[in-house]
Amino acid sequence: QSALTQPASVSGSPGQSITISCTGTSSDVGNYDLVSWYQQHPGRAPKLLIYEVNKRPSGVSNRFSGSKSGNTASLTLSGLQAEDEADYYCCSYTGSRISFGGGTKLTVL
Amino acid sequence: QVQLVQSGAEVMKPGASVKVSCKASGYTFTSYYMHWVRQAPGQGLEWMGIINPSGGSTTYAQNFQGRVTMTRDTSTSTVYMELSSLRSEDTAVYYCARSYFDSSGPDYWGQGTLVTVSS
């Protein structure tokens, strides 16, 4: 049972935008601007997409963006492409440890 | 370039211990924390703990307290994760992953090490 709650699945058509939510509590997501997002393709290691809520590492497409409101963080992916089909995980500092969300499977229709 | 290269797959008996290594290169080893994260087949990511390669201090997730030990060897820029009293539920891919702050999610990840626990 993950401390952070994500929808199990989302889907969208090429070119569309989707948003994945990550709901925590006032002890983690709501208390720290230390939310990260990862993309994981089957059989591969996770890849960092967003850190500190809304910052993108060098080399990550600007189609990925992050935000936070209260205890819920969100990852928005615009201009969906076939290669975006993957699992996505949020991650937050909890004051003493790191916690991951349960993951969301993105299907590009 | 940053590289985290992990040791190879392991098959272990229940009750045994396994030690996975993670050799870092391409950056200053002692300037970044190292996390260990595991992923059971078809499941999500589970944070196991973190080690500070500079001083060797560790913080373990409650689920693994008493069973996991993280160590480092600064002479070879390698961190190790040992998990004891293995059970079938420990079958998973184990990843090392670095971060600049202990409160940050990791930025670079190793390739993963599959540990299979089976009698």
Side-chain angles (χ1 to χ4, degrees), chain B residues 27-71:
Chain B
Y27 69 97
T28 302
F29 176 67
T30 52
S31 293
Y32 287 77
Y33 292 83
M34 197 73 78
H35 304 256
W36 286 92
V37 178
R38 77 176 185 180
Q39 186 171 37
Q43 302 300 309
L45 302 172
E46 182 179 20
W47 186 78
M48 299 179 68
I50 188 171
I51 182 169
N52 180 350
S54 179
S57 61
T58 55
T59 300
Y60 301 137
Q62 198 163 8
N63 284 354
F64 299 96
Q65 287 276 1
R67 276 210 309 145
V68 70
T69 304
M70 297 176 188
T71 56

Side-chain angles (χ1 to χ4, degrees), chain A residues 24-49:
Chain A
T25 70
S26 57
S27 297
D28 41 58
V29 174
N31 199 36
Y32 304 97
D33 286 339
L34 293 170
V35 176
S36 305
W37 288 91
Y38 299 88
Q39 177 191 61
Q40 186 181 34
H41 286 106
R44 303 295 299 273
K47 173 189 173 184
L48 178 66
L49 296 175

Side-chain angles (χ1 to χ4, degrees), chain A residues 37-90:
Chain A
W37 288 91
Y38 299 88
Q39 177 191 61
Q40 186 181 34
H41 286 106
R44 303 295 299 273
K47 173 189 173 184
L48 178 66
L49 296 175
I50 298 288
Y51 66 99
E52 293 176 7
V53 175
N54 55 17
K55 298 177 182 176
R56 266 190 320 274
S58 169
V60 171
S61 170
N62 60 8
R63 296 187 299 109
F64 294 96
S65 62
S67 62
K68 190 184 86 167
S69 177
N71 296 338
T72 298
S74 298
L75 173 72
T76 297
L77 178 43
S78 60
L80 271 182
Q81 300 176 0
E83 58 262 36
D84 297 330
E85 186 161 293
D87 294 324
Y88 292 82
Y89 294 91
C90 63

